[in-house]
Amino acid sequence: MKRIGVLLFLLGAGSILLGLLGYEFSLLMWVDNWGTTVGWAIRGVLIVAGVALWFMGNKAETAQAKETGTA
């Protein structure tokens, strides 16, 4: 879950940075089809979802380590 979170975060943040420079990830070129506002909202959701998944994965990993006694 942590890896998916990091991927989503990097796609969202990278899309914002590249968009400011006039470029875009090929995978995310569709986000501006519904307008600039919706495109920014989708990028923001990618970042928030990525951070949330990373935290949830980190919490689960920590709980598992405590349970097995390896922490």
Side-chain angles (χ1 to χ4, degrees), residues 51-71:
V51 169
L53 284 174
W54 185 84
F55 276 116
M56 288 173 20
N58 196 30
K59 187 175 181 180
E61 192 176 271
T62 303
Q64 184 180 13
K66 286 181 182 179
E67 187 176 287
T68 60
T70 59

Side-chain angles (χ1 to χ4, degrees), residues 1-2 7 12 20 32 34 40-41 43 47 58-59 70:
M1 210 163 23
K2 283 174 62 172
L7 176 65
L20 293 173
D32 287 322
W34 297 286
W40 280 98
R43 290 174 181 98
I47 291 172
N58 196 30
K59 187 175 181 180
T70 59

Side-chain angles (χ1 to χ4, degrees), residues 11-49:
L11 282 174
S15 179
I16 288 173
L17 292 174
L18 287 175
L20 293 173
L21 297 173
Y23 296 100
E24 187 62 65
F25 287 126
S26 297
L27 182 66
L28 295 176
M29 292 178 84
W30 58 271
V31 298
D32 287 322
N33 285 346
W34 297 286
T36 306
T37 304
V38 175
W40 280 98
I42 292 171
R43 290 174 181 98
V45 167
L46 283 173
I47 291 172
V48 170

